[in-house]
Amino acid sequence: MARAGTNSNLHADGRNYSRLHAGGGFWLVALGAALWGINPLFRVTLLNYMTSAQIVMLEHLLISLIAVPILWRNRAELLSLSWKHAGALLFISWGGSALATILFTAGLSSGNLNAVLLLQKLQPLFAIILASLLLKERLPRHFGWLLGIALAGTYMLTFGLSLPGGNWGQYLQAGSLMSLGAAALWGGSTVMGRMMVGKIKYETVTSLRFVLALPLLSMISWSEGAAWNLPAAGTAEGAAVILNLSGQALLAGLLSLMIYYKGLTTTKASAATLAELSFPMVGVLINWMVFQETITLAQTLGFVLIWLSLYLLSRQSNHAAAAEQQPAPYRQASA
């Protein structure tokens, strides 16, 4: 009898452990993605003085000053990487960190902002397809409905209850195409990142993402031949550039991705990509608080739809990951 009671307690503890860590990882991904929503606050100001490539290169250079010591401390992990993992890291750093960020930054100043934000919400579709093909992930029950609810919410955040009407031309401009390219690269990076966090520490993945992108960003910045129009040091404009660049690099860049990859260690890529839809909600709040744009009833409903889908998906993820997340003693007791 005592043995049966002990096993029952172990099973209950194992389930609680699994749900705590799986659900916690999902919401860490959501928090990391939410911090990306403050990107425009910094980038819009920096675009007055630098090109998109110059901004992203300086951001990566600043973060690399912190990332290189982390890589040196975890250098033993790098010896165990295969060519497949090396390719995934290059995709994350060159595609997701360098090219996608340049495309998104350029899109902010090259097209309709609503179109840029809406097209970013296609990112889950790219991630889900790749996760199914490359990681063989089984989706939670009702995943298609949850995805539809989340995308409906993001549409309402962008357009409200109205249709774009006859203005489709403005959504097919250069800025929109750049945003679409960024969405595809970021969606692929979610899948590649999930592959890597199962192999090496999340701190190492985050550091490699920025350090490996530096050579490519340097070549892109040099090849475009644009002049550096930085304001003089000691001026108010110079201080604003330093403040915005630091905030972009350390808060919306390094910190957000550390949190994101930590959460990704216990979250499937297909679930993580829905958690990333916390980004548009933060964007709407920024518009309201900083740029005094009114939040409409339709946008409020969009918030509710996205959070409902995130909550339901989090519950699904908890149950789906329960067996995988149990510590070995609990699994043995179950047997």
Side-chain angles (χ1 to χ4, degrees), residues 13-23 318 321-323 325-327:
D13 289 344
R15 287 192 296 269
N16 291 336
Y17 175 92
S18 302
R19 292 172 183 173
L20 174 63
H21 285 259
N318 291 348
Q325 296 300 314
Q326 286 184 1

Side-chain angles (χ1 to χ4, degrees), residues 40-260:
L41 278 179
F42 305 112
R43 294 191 187 279
V44 168
T45 299
L46 294 174
L47 282 168
N48 294 325
Y49 304 97
M50 293 173 279
T51 67
S52 300
Q54 289 171 341
I55 293 172
V56 178
M57 187 188 73
L58 287 180
E59 172 193 348
H60 280 64
L61 182 61
L62 183 58
I63 295 176
S64 293
L65 297 177
I66 301 173
V68 168
I70 295 176
L71 290 178
W72 176 254
R73 186 183 61 191
N74 299 337
R75 61 189 182 279
E77 289 186 296
L78 305 181
L79 300 178
S80 63
L81 298 179
S82 65
W83 286 107
K84 179 180 73 172
H85 295 116
L89 284 170
L90 284 179
F91 187 96
I92 292 171
S93 61
W94 288 14
S97 194
L99 296 178
T101 309
I102 289 175
L103 288 173
F104 179 75
T105 304
L108 291 175
S109 60
S110 301
N112 181 281
L113 184 58
N114 280 346
V116 172
L117 294 175
L118 177 64
L119 290 172
Q120 279 302 304
K121 305 297 104 43
L122 295 177
Q123 179 178 331
L125 300 181
F126 296 110
I128 291 168
I129 293 172
L130 287 175
S132 177
L133 293 176
L134 299 180
L135 302 181
K136 310 301 181 184
E137 288 189 357
R138 296 180 60 185
L139 301 180
R141 291 184 301 117
H142 312 305
F143 186 85
W145 287 102
L146 295 175
L147 175 62
I149 292 173
L151 291 179
T154 59
Y155 181 94
M156 297 179 75
L157 286 177
T158 307
F159 292 117
L161 296 175
S162 62
L163 295 175
N167 298 322
W168 285 105
Q170 65 180 333
Y171 300 104
L172 299 176
Q173 296 175 352
S176 299
L177 298 178
M178 291 176 185
S179 180
L180 185 60
L185 290 170
W186 276 331
S189 292
T190 297
V191 177
M192 298 301 176
R194 184 64 185 89
M195 180 189 300
M196 291 308 306
V197 294
K199 182 67 177 177
I200 57 180
K201 296 177 182 177
Y202 72 92
E203 301 99 322
T204 307
V205 176
T206 306
S207 300
L208 286 170
R209 177 186 178 113
F210 292 105
V211 173
L212 292 178
L214 267 180
L216 177 63
L217 288 170
S218 299
M219 288 189 294
I220 293 175
S221 181
W222 175 79
S223 63
E224 69 180 6
W228 289 82
N229 298 315
L230 296 175
T235 63
E237 291 81 2
V241 167
I242 294 174
L243 181 62
N244 281 277
L245 184 61
S246 299
Q248 169 59 43
L250 302 179
L251 182 59
L254 182 61
L255 178 61
S256 67
L257 284 169
M258 281 290 189
I259 295 172
Y260 172 82

